Amino acid sequence: MNIHDRRPMGETGTGGAVAFRLNGAPVSVAAAPDLRLSAALRDEIGQTGTKSGCDAGDCGACTVLVDGAQVCACLTPLGQVEGCDVTTVEGLARDALGAALQRAFHAHGAAQCGVCTPGMLMAGHALLSAVPRPDERQVRDALGGVLCRCTGYLKIVEAVQAAHGFLAEAEPVVAGSTEFLAAESGRRESAAIGARIARLDGLPKLDGSEIYGADQVPEGALWLRALRCPHPRARFALGDLEAWLSARPGLVRVLTAKDVPGENSFGIYPHLKDQPVFSVAETRYRGECVLAIVGEREAVEAVRLNEFPIVWEPLPALTGPRAALAPDAYALHDFAPGNVLTRGRVACGDVDAGFAQAAHVASGAFETGFVEHAYIEPEAGHARRVGDAIEVFACTQAPYMDRDEVARVLGLPLDSVRIIPSACGGGFGGKLDVSLQPMLAVAAWLLDRPVACVYSRIESMVSSTKRHPSQITAKAACDADGRLVAYAMEGDFDTGAYASWGPTVAGRVPVHATGPYRAPNVRNLSRAVYTNGPPSGAFRGFGVPQAAIAQESLFDDLAGAAGLDRLEFRLLNAIRAGDATPCGQVLEASAGLAECLEKLKPHWRALLHDASAFNAGESRTRRGVGIGCMWYGIGNTGMSNPSTMRITLDAAGRLTFWNGAVDIGQGSTTALTQIAADAIGLPVDAFALVVGDTALTADAGKTSASRQTFVSGRAAEAAGRALRADILRLSNAGAGATLSLDGARLAISENGVATVIDLAALPANADGVVLEGVGAFDPPTVPLDENGQGVPYATYGFAAQIASLDVDLDLGTVKLNRIVAAHDVGKAINPMLVEGQIHGGVAQGIGLALMEEYLPGRTENLHDYLIPTAGDVPPIDIILIEDPEPLGPSGAKGIGEPALV
Ligand code: FES
């Protein structure tokens, strides 16, 4: 074991090493005894399986076992483990119980992005060591200190409870858990669409070997730290940077706007590069990056930012759209007088006539606040210059978009930038914008040394995008029978200081704001408004959840006014195949809302009966049951969003899937491989996977808008079919032939006759590839006109969910009892992954509805900003509806966002 001498700057240290046993082996670390154990494990010993999500004991990602008890390694001083037994995820498989727990997590789909998984495994192991057969409550209590933002916890709880059943298969002691788990994986049956196979990229998430942005720092890398504005708006003046720098050994450079070689700006839309890499003279939100300090890591970490030579002049700030839209408000950007970034509009029929003829009208005003993504992995990565090119390794949802931004900032051609995505520890839309990539690239380019950066939790929260706060007024009307006759809404969405995905939200909201219903007369208007808040960007649903809160609330009122049951009212008005949307798009197929509602009926009646019985008693607690429906257009709104996939077969028989779709935990790596495998006719286990590297894989588009299964799935299907067609042509076989691959021998069997192709004998290109299939898909859409008429999406997901909950009428507290979720996904390519997405989306929806609000300056950490824990998510019953989408791969649509909406 390497022993380093690292003492934090300003610490005195004892001069002695701290000795303990790590995963059964003695180690000795020469570092200050008050160094965090998490830092000692990761930085001194090089075991990065223990993750660091907050350094404050809030997220539990760093949970390890000290003498068998779970502790947060970030709150445990190194000196405290002197003489102790420390167990981390890297050592979990040393005992049968740990190995069984890993197997259970794998089989149950308990890891999505996987960044919380080491902590969850350790917490689960501590429980199982004491209570071999825990009940659900015991598991939830044991996991209560570890946050997961992806899974909704249910499959984790299931896995811990099921672990005992995996003991029989586990070997007692295993030297290398990866090999052990790989052997398990190898016994998996061939994949087919619809199979509940475990994640193909799942094993490294379970043994600590997955590499996230902070887990790989090149030898000799410098460290980068941003200085950010502490005010919502301020002017600033820099002092003598050279003098400050020269007085601090180990610091190398301070980077400001004038150091940017290309354009000092970035943004999502080509015409809206409005956010500076480094501020120029004035800032627009609390958390804006002003400059970056680069140097040796210890020197950079020792800098006290309040001693930096910068003078702030706070300026009056605009908080919220009302202030920003006031006639005397200053304009944040010259190109947006009045602070309106963009407007959206969808109008059809005659709304005024519709309201005039209505029997019942409901109206209301609704507001929602900023919501933080709270992915457990803060932004992290590094950049290095390679001759006249730059490489950036970082967590991202959109590698090709990152490439384009970095190229602009450096003034380089696109092919001089390579983006290598790390494993992504959660994104939910928040990692669609660049964060540290431009800064790292500038630093590495100018200094010609690798440069790394890891955001703190607070830095992640203050600097990153948020869900748009909304201010919505809406009005809905129906006739005497309960049929909708008109709907109108106006919504202002606080897009914060910079555009980010504001135009997408303003465009998507009016399309969806009437909900998945037949409505003949509609006028939906939206505005994205600049303010001095944090930039609002993409967050699971792009504004649709905010609009759905208003619309579904009004529909409850209308149902009551019309004397209809709330489910029946929705069923009466549910949009179906053959109906036109408010955009004038006729849904030709795959509109499964009515079936969702039909399947929910017995649950609805049972839960209403249960609530009625409960409320008959004398109690200050009252039970309520609610229902809501949703729809969600898959992919970009009325614009191209293509994906290209490639599958190759080389002379040695290696089948490689070159897949540019970044898997942020949702499971696209697995689902797309299942689609590709069936398209070719070979098992998923036959594939080598290359995922999301701009130098190796074609552009699959961003991982957002629930698009990868539908769009990239179709591309994967096309690539697989193209390769299969070539194989069949070579062997003169018909469409029904079966394939098998054994090294370089590719056998094609038909009617009992096998033809063998010797791949080694085929002409190969420079990479040894003898056969390849390339497939592309761009969903057919028609841009919206000035009234929002057109075809915004090629297909839509639909869902209806019921919630049963108890409200304490004195305290106002809410306890969820059960959620029943019916989702039309077209086709569940992998039902286990689909369920995981629904659980996770529901959990994030619970957070949005009941717990979360980001307040700049107040809730900038995971102690003050509360997200659902294992104790907050109720049982969720899932009903999958498969109303096939003719354009989708085997009928599949998407599921990432619908569950939250
Ligand atoms: Fe738990 Fe992603 S799987 S945070």
Side-chain angles (χ1 to χ4, degrees), residues 329-341:
Y330 92 101
L332 272 89
H333 300 277
D334 292 343
F335 58 83
N339 290 318
V340 175
L341 162 63

Side-chain angles (χ1 to χ4, degrees), residues 645-650 654-658 676-677 679-682 687 715-731 739 741 746 748 757 759 762 769-775:
M645 295 277 148
R646 179 170 170 250
I647 304 169
T648 59
L649 198 47
D650 70 16
R654 177 187 290 261
L655 181 68
T656 304
F657 184 19
W658 308 85
I680 300 174
L682 288 168
F687 285 83
E717 183 182 71
R721 286 179 178 172
L723 180 56
R724 178 178 174 84
D726 271 359
I727 293 168
L728 297 183
R729 200 162 29 246
L730 271 178
S731 57
L739 310 185
L741 190 59
L746 176 62
I748 302 97
I757 298 175
L759 296 171
L762 296 179
V769 171
V770 294
L771 292 167
E772 76 170 351
V774 177

Side-chain angles (χ1 to χ4, degrees), residues 90 312 358 408 851 854:
E90 287 94 342
W312 298 103
R408 281 183 62 261
M851 301 174 70
Y854 176 80

Side-chain angles (χ1 to χ4, degrees), residues 517-600:
Y517 304 100
R518 285 187 297 259
N521 305 297
V522 169
R523 184 177 58 231
N524 296 333
L525 308 175
S526 66
R527 293 186 292 192
V529 181
Y530 280 122
T531 69
N532 289 114
S536 297
F539 190 170
R540 212 164 185 170
F542 283 106
V544 179
Q546 294 96 305
I549 288 168
Q551 171 263 311
E552 288 292 315
S553 299
L554 295 185
F555 281 21
D556 279 355
D557 293 348
L558 278 187
L564 288 173
D565 171 88
R566 287 167 285 156
L567 185 151
E568 295 295 345
F569 178 85
R570 287 168 169 84
L571 187 55
L572 175 70
N573 289 291
I575 201 164
R576 298 158 194 260
D579 290 335
T581 72
C583 294
Q585 175 184 6
V586 175
L587 300 182
E588 291 171 7
S590 193
L593 177 63
E595 194 177 350
C596 290
L597 288 165
E598 292 287 358
K599 287 280 173 18
L600 284 180

Side-chain angles (χ1 to χ4, degrees), residues 310-329:
I310 186 169
V311 177
W312 298 103
E313 180 194 349
L315 297 170
L318 300 173
T319 303
R322 286 192 190 94
L325 293 167
D328 59 347

Side-chain angles (χ1 to χ4, degrees), residues 498-766:
Y498 298 106
S500 181
W501 294 86
T504 308
V505 168
R508 188 175 273 268
V509 163
V511 173
H512 290 81
T514 312
Y517 304 100
R518 285 187 297 259
N521 305 297
V522 169
R523 184 177 58 231
N524 296 333
L525 308 175
S526 66
R527 293 186 292 192
V529 181
Y530 280 122
T531 69
N532 289 114
S536 297
F539 190 170
R540 212 164 185 170
F542 283 106
V544 179
Q546 294 96 305
I549 288 168
Q551 171 263 311
E552 288 292 315
S553 299
L554 295 185
F555 281 21
D556 279 355
D557 293 348
L558 278 187
L564 288 173
D565 171 88
R566 287 167 285 156
L567 185 151
E568 295 295 345
F569 178 85
R570 287 168 169 84
L571 187 55
L572 175 70
N573 289 291
I575 201 164
R576 298 158 194 260
D579 290 335
T581 72
C583 294
Q585 175 184 6
V586 175
L587 300 182
E588 291 171 7
S590 193
L593 177 63
E595 194 177 350
C596 290
L597 288 165
E598 292 287 358
K599 287 280 173 18
L600 284 180
K601 273 185 180 176
H603 302 271
W604 176 244
R605 292 191 192 113
L607 288 170
L608 286 176
H609 180 76
D610 166 67
S612 175
F614 182 89
N615 292 334
E618 289 292 321
S619 169
R620 73 183 201 192
T621 300
R622 280 290 175 265
R623 182 159 294 172
V625 186
I627 185 165
C629 300
M630 63 71 60
W631 65 334
Y632 192 79
I634 307 298
N636 291 358
T637 308
M639 64 175 73
S640 171
N641 62 133
S643 173
T644 300
M645 295 277 148
R646 179 170 170 250
I647 304 169
T648 59
L649 198 47
D650 70 16
R654 177 187 290 261
L655 181 68
T656 304
F657 184 19
W658 308 85
N659 167 10
V662 174
D663 193 328
I664 59 172
Q666 86 281 27
S668 60
T669 296
T670 305
L672 297 182
T673 307
Q674 287 179 260
I675 292 167
D678 276 8
I680 300 174
L682 288 168
V684 291
D685 289 346
F687 285 83
L689 304 177
V690 178
V691 179
D693 178 331
T694 59
L696 301 176
T697 56
D699 188 358
K702 62 201 187 304
T703 294
S704 83
S706 305
R707 62 181 289 284
Q708 292 296 16
T709 298
F710 175 58
V711 182
S712 291
R714 261 295 299 270
E717 183 182 71
R721 286 179 178 172
L723 180 56
R724 178 178 174 84
D726 271 359
I727 293 168
L728 297 183
R729 200 162 29 246
L730 271 178
S731 57
N732 205 24
T738 58
L739 310 185
S740 63
L741 190 59
D742 181 10
R745 288 169 53 84
L746 176 62
I748 302 97
S749 303
E750 188 178 30
N751 301 326
V753 179
T755 305
V756 175
I757 298 175
D758 179 6
L759 296 171
L762 296 179
N765 71 11

